Amino acid sequence: RKSFLSYNKTIWGPLELVEKLYPEAEEIGASVRDLPGLKTPLGRARAWLRLALMQKKMADYLRCLIIQRDLLSEFYEYHALMMEEEGSVIVGLLVGLNVIDANLCVKGEDLDSQVGVIDFSMYLKNEEDIGNKERNVQIAAILDQKNYVEELNRQLNSTVSSLHSRVDSLEKSNTKLIEELAIAKNNIIKLQEENHQLRSENKLILMKTQQQLEVTKVDVETELQTYKHSRQGLDEMYNEARRQLRDESQLRQDVENELAVQVSMKHEIELAMKLLEKDIHEKQDTLIGLRQQLEEVKAINIEMYQKLQGSEDGLKEKNEIITQLEEKTNKITAAMRQLEQRLQQAEKAQMEAEEEDKKYLQECQSKSGSLQEQISQKEKQLVQLETDLKIEKEWRQTLQEDLQKEKDALSHLRNETQQIISLKKEFLNLQDENHHLRKIYHEQEQALQELGNKLSESKLKIEDIKEANKALQGLVWLKDKEATHCKLCEKEFSLSKRKHHCRNCGEIFCNACSDNELPLPSSPKPVRTWQLLHLHVSQTLHQLLLLLCHQLQYQYELVLDL
């Protein structure tokens, strides 16, 4: 397909898209870009196809392209073979190439130029030419000479291109040498300007040093007088602080001995727990380490096998490259000799300029040396005075620092004694709390035992009720004709005293004896039952409610204690 500027797109464009669609093709693309001799996109495409054949994945790569018709429309016309169904058929037939083990050369050949066309004219003969053997021999010789001339033209074209590149590199190196000479001249001018500036700065420094010497002499005399007065007062303060330190250090040792006994007991318990945890973790780590080592050994074996195969292929390619490089080095040496002659001429001119610079610098150094000697003498006098001042200041500072350190030590000891006293109080409080918690624990255990006994009694009563209920369920629903008297009060029924069935047992009672209601398993709503059954069930329910209340109170007390 052509672009707007009538520029034909090459096959290298769609082959680059395979890297995005098929990640394993990234290695081929990177190796093709790194090849040194390729300049045209057509040559890169030829190298890419050869590498794909060597990998035995050419059909897989092209199948990914044909599926993505939207991407191919940028490079092919709508009526092209790759855009139709025949293209997918051809790609399917390429799977048969995976059977062949291809070992194709990529670096040595000229892939950018057109592939040589095979001349089949030698094999096309008429019946008249069969007898003319001499003519056939002449034609074969001419064709051989033609092929030889074509090969010579290819080699000459490659040598001409290499010579052009060398000429360009030599011209660039000459321009760099000229630029370096100009930079050296500019540096010499800058050094001369800096020398003038240094001379003016030396004069200013001499004036300032004389003024500073006069000021320092006056300051030294005043500081000596103040130092003598302050030293007497500091000695007295130092002696008093030493006495207080001795007294408090004895108190600290007594307190530390008591703490050491308590801390040692605590550490022994903690060490025993840590040792057990370490043993468990170490055994787990060793198992994990052994598994990782096995996996690493497997991976190393596979890598070593792959490297052996790669090294054998690399040795063959390097032997071919060495022969080519030896021919190129002979040509390069001749060009280098010419460049060395030009460099020697440039170096002679540079040496002459450097000798002139050295003479000028020696004159400047001789003048600056005399000035530096004068400055050094005055600096030595300053250093002696400054050292005397520093010694006195340091002595004064050391005394002050000693006093501050002793004061800090005293305050630190006092804080530690207060902390030890507070720790003792906390320890006693913890012991009291421990005794109190043990008492609560024993009381709660007794309460739990009592609740367990009550629960067992309530379970027995519930089982009795269930057995009674089962016995009642076996009873039959009495008919009204069969009952003439109430079963509980044994009074005769009449128009005023009507009959009522108990919904649990089926017996007939009067209204006074069956006036109670209870929910039964047969009906969730409360139903009429006789009086004794109602009393028995209500008592058992009351006992169960009491047990639940006791359990809730016990759980609430546990929460408050926590």
Side-chain angles (χ1 to χ4, degrees):
R1 191 171 186 178
K2 291 183 180 180
S3 60
F4 292 107
L5 300 173
S6 70
Y7 179 71
N8 290 323
K9 292 187 177 181
T10 60
I11 196 170
W12 177 240
L15 292 178
E16 279 186 325
L17 291 172
V18 177
E19 296 179 8
K20 297 178 182 177
L21 301 172
Y22 206 97
E24 292 182 2
E26 291 179 358
E27 295 179 0
I28 297 173
S31 60
V32 169
R33 292 188 195 95
D34 294 334
L35 286 172
L38 297 176
K39 295 179 181 179
T40 60
L42 188 61
R44 293 190 186 93
R46 287 170 180 158
W48 189 91
L49 290 169
R50 293 186 182 196
L51 291 171
L53 281 169
M54 290 165 74
Q55 276 191 347
K56 296 184 180 181
K57 290 185 179 180
M58 188 174 181
D60 296 332
Y61 295 155
L62 294 176
R63 191 183 293 111
C64 293
L65 270 177
I66 284 174
I67 291 167
Q68 301 291 330
R69 295 288 173 87
D70 297 332
L71 297 173
L72 286 175
S73 62
E74 295 179 3
F75 300 96
Y76 291 100
E77 296 290 343
Y78 67 93
H79 55 78
L81 183 68
M82 291 290 284
M83 296 295 290
E84 294 180 356
E85 292 181 357
E86 293 178 357
S88 60
V89 175
I90 293 166
V91 172
L93 294 170
L94 289 174
V95 178
L97 293 172
N98 295 334
V99 180
I100 300 166
D101 292 328
N103 190 2
L104 303 172
C105 184
V106 179
K107 292 183 180 178
E109 296 187 1
D110 188 7
L111 297 173
D112 292 327
S113 62
Q114 185 66 35
V115 179
V117 179
I118 298 167
D119 191 4
F120 291 104
S121 62
M122 296 171 65
Y123 305 101
L124 299 172
K125 295 180 180 179
N126 295 324
E127 293 178 356
E128 297 175 357
D129 296 331
I130 293 167
N132 298 326
K133 293 182 179 179
E134 292 178 357
R135 188 178 178 184
N136 292 328
V137 171
Q138 290 176 358
I139 291 165
I142 291 162
L143 290 171
D144 291 333
Q145 288 176 2
K146 182 184 176 183
N147 292 324
Y148 178 69
V149 169
E150 287 178 354
E151 289 179 358
L152 284 173
N153 284 324
R154 287 177 188 172
Q155 291 178 357
L156 289 170
N157 288 323
S158 63
T159 54
V160 167
S161 63
S162 64
L163 288 170
H164 282 300
S165 63
R166 286 176 189 170
V167 169
D168 293 332
S169 64
L170 290 171
E171 288 177 354
K172 289 179 182 177
S173 63
N174 285 324
T175 54
K176 287 180 181 178
L177 289 169
I178 293 162
E179 290 175 356
E180 288 177 355
L181 284 170
I183 291 163
K185 289 178 181 178
N186 292 322
N187 289 325
I188 291 163
I189 294 162
K190 288 179 182 178
L191 289 168
Q192 290 176 356
E193 292 176 355
E194 288 178 357
N195 194 359
H196 290 297
Q197 290 178 358
L198 289 169
R199 287 177 181 176
S200 61
E201 288 177 357
N202 284 326
K203 291 178 182 179
L204 294 169
I205 289 163
L206 287 170
M207 296 292 288
K208 290 179 181 179
T209 52
Q210 289 176 359
Q211 292 176 0
Q212 289 177 358
L213 283 169
E214 293 175 355
V215 174
T216 52
K217 286 178 181 178
V218 176
D219 293 331
V220 168
E221 291 176 354
T222 54
E223 286 182 355
L224 284 169
Q225 291 177 359
T226 55
Y227 174 70
K228 289 177 181 178
H229 292 294
S230 62
R231 187 170 180 180
Q232 292 176 359
L234 290 169
D235 291 331
E236 292 176 357
M237 294 288 288
Y238 183 72
N239 292 320
E240 290 178 358
R242 290 282 295 275
R243 291 173 187 173
Q244 291 178 358
L245 265 173
R246 289 173 185 173
D247 296 331
E248 291 182 355
S249 61
Q250 290 177 358
L251 291 169
R252 185 180 176 182
Q253 288 177 358
D254 295 332
V255 174
E256 285 178 352
N257 292 324
E258 291 178 359
L259 269 173
V261 174
Q262 293 178 0
V263 171
S264 62
M265 294 293 288
K266 188 176 181 181
H267 284 300
E268 287 176 357
I269 295 164
E270 290 177 354
L271 286 169
M273 294 296 289
K274 287 178 181 178
L275 289 169
L276 290 171
E277 290 177 356
K278 284 180 181 178
D279 292 331
I280 293 163
H281 290 300
E282 286 175 358
K283 289 177 181 177
Q284 291 177 353
D285 292 332
T286 52
L287 287 170
I288 294 163
L290 290 168
R291 289 175 184 171
Q292 291 177 355
Q293 288 176 2
L294 284 170
E295 291 176 356
E296 288 175 357
V297 169
K298 290 179 182 177
I300 290 163
N301 288 326
I302 293 163
E303 288 178 358
M304 291 296 287
Y305 182 72
Q306 291 176 357
K307 286 179 181 178
L308 281 170
Q309 292 178 351
S311 62
E312 289 175 358
D313 297 329
L315 283 169
K316 293 178 183 178
E317 291 176 358
K318 286 176 182 177
N319 290 322
E320 294 174 357
I321 292 163
I322 287 162
T323 56
Q324 294 176 359
L325 290 170
E326 286 175 354
E327 293 175 358
K328 291 181 181 178
T329 50
N330 293 322
K331 295 177 182 178
I332 290 163
T333 51
M336 289 296 288
R337 287 173 185 173
Q338 294 177 0
L339 288 171
E340 286 176 356
Q341 292 176 359
R342 292 181 184 176
L343 283 170
Q344 288 175 359
Q345 293 175 359
E347 286 177 354
K348 287 178 182 179
Q350 191 175 1
M351 291 290 286
E352 291 175 357
E354 286 179 355
E355 287 176 357
E356 291 177 358
D357 293 334
K358 286 179 181 178
K359 289 178 181 178
Y360 185 76
L361 287 169
Q362 287 176 359
E363 291 176 358
C364 295
Q365 287 176 358
S366 63
K367 291 178 182 179
S368 63
S370 61
L371 291 169
Q372 287 178 356
E373 288 177 357
Q374 293 175 2
I375 292 163
S376 63
Q377 289 176 0
K378 291 180 180 180
E379 285 179 351
K380 287 178 182 178
Q381 293 175 0
L382 274 171
V383 170
Q384 289 177 359
L385 293 169
E386 286 177 354
T387 52
D388 294 332
L389 279 169
K390 286 179 181 178
I391 290 163
E392 291 175 356
K393 287 179 181 178
E394 287 175 356
W395 179 255
R396 188 175 179 183
Q397 287 177 358
T398 52
L399 290 170
Q400 289 177 356
E401 287 175 356
D402 291 332
L403 277 171
Q404 288 179 355
K405 287 178 181 178
E406 288 171 356
K407 288 178 182 178
D408 294 331
L410 286 168
S411 62
H412 184 67
L413 288 167
R414 287 173 184 171
N415 292 323
E416 285 182 351
T417 51
Q418 289 177 359
Q419 288 177 0
I420 290 161
I421 292 162
S422 62
L423 287 168
K424 283 182 179 180
K425 290 179 181 178
E426 289 178 358
F427 182 71
L428 294 169
N429 291 324
L430 288 169
Q431 286 180 351
D432 294 332
E433 288 178 358
N434 192 2
H435 291 300
H436 182 66
L437 289 169
R438 284 179 181 176
K439 288 178 182 178
I440 292 166
Y441 176 71
H442 291 299
E443 290 175 357
Q444 289 174 354
E445 280 186 349
Q446 291 176 0
L448 282 169
Q449 289 177 358
E450 291 176 357
L451 286 169
N453 294 323
K454 289 180 180 179
L455 280 169
S456 62
E457 291 176 358
S458 62
K459 285 179 181 178
L460 291 169
K461 289 179 181 180
I462 289 163
E463 288 177 355
D464 294 334
I465 292 165
K466 287 180 180 178
E467 288 176 357
N469 193 4
K470 288 178 182 178
L472 291 170
Q473 284 176 0
L475 297 173
V476 183
W477 187 269
L478 288 175
K479 295 180 180 180
D480 292 336
K481 294 178 180 179
E482 294 178 357
T484 55
H485 298 278
C486 178
K487 190 176 181 181
L488 186 62
C489 63
E490 294 182 355
K491 290 182 180 179
E492 189 177 357
F493 294 114
S494 61
L495 292 171
S496 60
K497 275 194 178 184
R498 298 185 65 188
K499 298 176 182 179
H500 296 283
H501 283 86
C502 177
R503 299 296 189 272
N504 189 24
C505 60
E507 297 289 337
I508 296 171
F509 299 92
C510 64
N511 189 18
C513 295
S514 62
D515 197 10
N516 300 310
E517 290 182 350
L518 281 173
L520 295 173
S522 59
S523 63
K525 293 181 180 180
V527 186
R528 186 184 289 274
T529 56
W530 60 297
Q531 195 171 6
L532 290 175
L533 183 71
H534 182 269
L535 288 170
H536 185 65
V537 172
S538 62
Q539 287 176 359
T540 53
L541 289 170
H542 182 67
Q543 289 177 356
L544 288 169
L545 287 170
L546 289 171
L547 287 169
L548 288 170
C549 291
H550 285 300
Q551 286 179 354
L552 290 169
Q553 285 179 356
Y554 173 70
Q555 290 177 357
Y556 180 69
E557 288 175 356
L558 285 172
V559 171
L560 291 172
D561 293 332
L562 291 170

